[in-house]
Amino acid sequence: MPSAPQAPSSLKKIVAASLIGTTIEWYDFFLYGAAAALVFNKLFFPDSDPLVGTLLSFLTYAVGFAARPLGALVFGHYGDRLGRKKLLVYSLLMMGGATFLIGLLPTHAAIGSAAPLLLTVLRLAQGFALGGEWGGAVLLVAEHGDAGRRGFWASWPQTGAPAGQLLATGVLATLTATLSDAAFDSWGWRVPFLLSGVLVLVGLWIRLSVDESPVFKAALAAAERRKTEQTLREKPPVLAVLRDHWRDVLIAMGTRMAENISYYVVTAFILVYATEHADTSKQAALDSVLIASAVHLVTIPLWGALSDKIGRRPVYLIGALGMGTWIYPFFALVDRQSFGAMVTAATVALLFHGAMYAPQAAFFSELFATRMRYSGASIGAQFSSVAAGAPAPLIATALLAGYDSATPIVLYVMAAVLLTVVALGCAQETRHRDLADTEAYETDPAPAEDALAPYIRTPPPRS
């Protein structure tokens, strides 16, 4: 039976807890991306020419994405077994700790080749933590709210991405505006990484104050009753997802392609393209992303609310087709070397991105059953990031180096849009689904012997 929706005050507290944690984690993740474009090529790969150094620093940036699927598997499994809240606390501590340590890391000039190696290890830790963060944060909100406004409320944790981007870019923009290039390269770049330690303490205090999802608690109680009655047994969440929801996983991965690739091209690669190709100042590029991220943050809940009215798929499709149409004017405007044109380019691009990103939280939550929802949503979101967001700045930089033109990059983004449109065409509309009505997906009758026997604990017979 569906659980009653939370009172507005309680739901707002849940949203705040998810949002603050997600903002901090994305701040940490995006901070690395910006630093990779601006300083890591000089501090950790100084023997390379500027563009090759940027490629190498983006390679360590991509390593963080490679760890995200592993984080999705581990956090998803235990999040479906132990609860959303506990795993969100662990992900926040891991991400914040790795980011703080990057701020203390010696550079290549101090310890040689050990510097980029340690940088890569800490980036792996960041990616592992973020792989588990997203699914838990959006589910905690989606499972607390009512179906009628799920798209709106679940989109708020999604604003953590632009909020984190805004915070990271804002701190870097302030430092680059107030410090000389020499001072920023010497010690200024460390400040935003060390600031993460303070932010994590604030996020941890808020996140520990919220309760577990009522939908999850009800599903856990039902699973315990079934185990006691020895009538039905649960499959391990990851195996259950791959067996019962493989098609939904593929849909989630496909819909992520345009959203993920376009975002990192617009927010991370723009710093390289504007400074190396369009001969625009580093400050102008950072400021344009800062302004666009502010607009992005405000409009994401509006797109989420629209998805409650007309459906997840139509809103997502607006964003995908809009991005495919806008990506060529995006680069044309950056090439004009005008700050106003660059702001327009980034803002419109992130508006279309928001139309894909906003309904994604509710859409992915609605694809999977409660006791495998953390695993399913995380796997679908994070496995696609390896093929999408991870190599996007790297591929875009390589294409720019090889062709000295934005045209191949435009075609790259358009190909991703095509994949997303196909995935949306294969999906069903989900906005009317009840997240508590999932029994048919969660369990199956236990055979006498099966390959999952080692994973099942059978209680002793009653006397």
Side-chain angles (χ1 to χ4, degrees), residues 23 26-27 30-31 159-174 263 267 286-298 350:
T23 299
W26 281 113
Y27 165 81
F30 287 139
L31 183 60
T159 65
Q165 178 79 65
L166 189 65
L167 188 59
T169 307
V171 172
L172 284 171
T174 301
Y263 188 77
T267 60
L286 283 169
D287 288 345
S288 66
V289 174
L290 189 70
I291 294 170
S293 295
V295 177
H296 193 212
L297 188 155
V298 172
L350 289 185

Side-chain angles (χ1 to χ4, degrees), residues 206-280:
I206 296 175
R207 190 160 272 186
L208 286 171
S209 67
V210 301
D211 197 12
E212 184 56 81
S213 152
V215 171
F216 173 80
K217 288 192 290 186
L220 181 61
E224 291 298 324
R225 285 196 302 271
R226 289 192 293 267
K227 186 188 298 184
T228 301
E229 295 166 0
Q230 296 181 293
T231 56
L232 292 173
R233 71 173 59 166
E234 287 194 313
K235 298 182 291 290
V238 172
L239 296 182
V241 167
L242 297 178
R243 172 177 164 175
D244 299 332
H245 283 283
W246 61 268
R247 185 176 181 273
D248 294 322
V249 168
L250 291 178
I251 287 173
M253 292 176 65
T255 56
R256 280 271 284 173
M257 298 305 289
E259 177 268 309
N260 216 220
I261 288 174
S262 65
Y263 188 77
Y264 290 104
V265 167
V266 170
T267 60
F269 176 70
I270 189 178
L271 301 178
V272 176
Y273 186 84
T275 55
E276 300 289 340
H277 183 77
D279 198 25
T280 305

